[in-house]
């Protein structure tokens, strides 16, 4: 695998999914050991489930918070953060809700699917950070209504602000690295095609082929940390 010369690119985008956090011990959603193999998302990750049984949905998300809080950023998260600190134009567009990329040192992360570390309620539509494990209290002290995680559940629309920022990044990048995403959850999955159609250099890092592999000119069928260490040897902290 040939190392990438950072100075050769004007605008770099890392587009990341659950596989990026797999080496931190956070289960992916699909595939072997995937979350949706054990949990029916219609019972745990949609507004209808929350309306029907908010405590059950919060029990599930509190367990996810506990696991994510106990995890450490991987070498892959740290390399992405280091590239961001060493190049003038790097955007991280993530589908992950775990906050690990920020904990690795990235300061500007576009969260397409929100964050499990923010909550909102009917009387506080602006999301508020809450790092409690478990979340306490589950209802808003002000209005008494349920607080819900600020994540894009199934059947929720994407938030316009992160989508606009992601589009702007993908419309200008000349290097796209997609890492650890199956490319099956739309509309997020469609975003990398913008860079591919513009003729940007497009690299997919995933141990498995995906439904969108044809958008990428180069494929590394490896774990995220191994591939990024080889592509950016100056930032190999291993
Ligand atoms: P995914 O589970 O569908 O795919 C993970 C991918 O990572 C797989 O292709 C797998 O081969 C790859 N992978 C596994 N280990 C890896 C490693 N070490 N290095 C590199 N790649 C590795 O996850 P996704 O693509 O992120 O799924 C899309 C989105 O669907 C999720 O991000 C999530 O936001 C989402 N979603 C979640 C909810 C929710 O409530 N939690 C709701 C709606 C949508």
């Amino acid at each position: 695998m040939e190392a990438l010369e950072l100075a050769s690119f004007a605008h770099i985008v890392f587009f990341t999914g659950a596989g990026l956090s797999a080496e931190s011990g956070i289960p992916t959603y699909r595939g072997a050991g995937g979350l949706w193999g054990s949990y029916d998302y219609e019972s745990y990750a949609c507004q209808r489930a929350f309306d029907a049984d908010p405590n059950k949905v919060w029990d599930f998300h509190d367990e996810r918070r506990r696991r994510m809080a106990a995890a450490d950023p991987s070498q892959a998260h740290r390399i992405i953060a280091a590239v961001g600190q060493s190049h003038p134009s790097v955007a991280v567009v993530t589908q992950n809700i775990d906050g690990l990329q920020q904990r690795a040192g990235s300061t500007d992360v576009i969260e397409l699917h929100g964050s499990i570390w923010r909550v909102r309620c009917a009387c506080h539509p602006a999301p508020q950070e809450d790092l409690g494990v478990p979340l306490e209290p589950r209802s808003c002290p002000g209005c008494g209504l349920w607080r819900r995680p600020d994540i894009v559940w199934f059947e929720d629309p994407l938030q316009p602000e992160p989508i606009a920022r992601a589009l702007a990044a993908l419309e200008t990048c000349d290097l796209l690295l997609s890492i650890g995403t199956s490319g099956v959850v739309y509309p997020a999955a469609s975003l990398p095609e913008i860079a591919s159609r513009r003729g940007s250099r497009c690299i997919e890092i995933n141990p498995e082929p995906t439904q969108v592999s044809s958008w990428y000119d180069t494929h590394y069928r490896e774990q995220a940390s191994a591939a990024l260490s080889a592509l950016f040897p100056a930032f190999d902290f291993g």
Side-chain angles (χ1 to χ4, degrees):
M1 193 184 302
E2 201 174 320
L4 293 172
E5 181 59 53
L6 274 188
S8 307
F9 302 99
H11 303 288
I12 300 172
V13 170
F14 290 96
F15 183 81
T16 66
L20 176 65
S21 295
E23 292 169 76
S24 294
I26 309 296
T28 59
Y29 294 99
R30 299 164 192 81
L35 206 57
W36 302 145
S38 315
Y39 293 91
D40 168 12
Y41 76 80
E42 291 195 319
S43 302
Y44 295 96
C46 66
Q47 185 67 47
R48 283 180 294 119
F50 190 65
D51 292 342
D53 192 343
N55 275 317
K56 177 177 163 183
V57 171
W58 261 120
D59 287 346
F60 171 74
H61 286 84
D62 272 340
E63 175 54 23
R64 299 203 70 204
R65 279 184 167 213
R66 188 195 60 73
R67 194 153 185 167
M68 290 169 178
D72 292 318
S74 69
Q75 159 126 297
H77 291 109
R78 294 201 307 274
I79 292 172
I80 292 170
V83 171
Q85 285 151 13
S86 307
H87 188 280
S89 179
V90 175
V92 180
V93 180
T94 189
Q95 298 164 87
N96 296 344
I97 59 170
D98 53 36
L100 284 170
Q101 190 59 60
Q102 292 90 328
R103 283 174 52 200
S106 292
T107 52
D108 191 15
V109 180
I110 301 169
E111 294 177 315
L112 291 174
H113 290 158
S115 170
I116 201 166
W117 302 113
R118 292 190 300 268
V119 292
R120 53 189 159 88
C121 68
C123 79
H124 291 106
Q128 300 172 310
E129 185 180 69
D130 185 300
L131 304 180
V133 183
L135 174 81
E136 192 62 55
R138 289 178 173 179
S139 56
C140 169
C143 65
L145 298 175
W146 286 98
R147 304 199 282 172
R148 63 155 278 179
D150 183 39
I151 50 185
V152 177
W153 278 329
F154 287 92
E155 300 162 12
D156 288 346
L158 291 186
Q159 296 292 322
E161 192 259 355
I163 271 284
R165 291 175 61 210
L167 285 172
L170 286 156
E171 281 162 1
T172 53
C173 71
D174 51 0
L175 173 63
L176 167 70
L177 296 115
S178 171
I179 306 166
T181 179
S182 58
V184 298
V185 174
Y186 281 78
S190 64
L191 292 174
E193 190 179 14
I194 296 168
S196 174
R197 283 184 183 277
R198 288 181 42 255
S200 308
R201 176 87 198 275
C202 293
I203 297 173
E204 179 179 66
I205 298 172
N206 194 314
E208 308 283 338
T210 71
Q211 292 183 18
V212 294
S213 290
S214 62
W215 294 345
Y216 298 87
D217 51 74
T218 311
H219 310 92
Y220 295 118
R221 299 284 167 234
E222 298 197 35
Q223 307 280 313
S225 292
L228 289 173
S229 297
L231 287 171
F232 301 104
F235 306 115
D236 182 356
F237 307 112

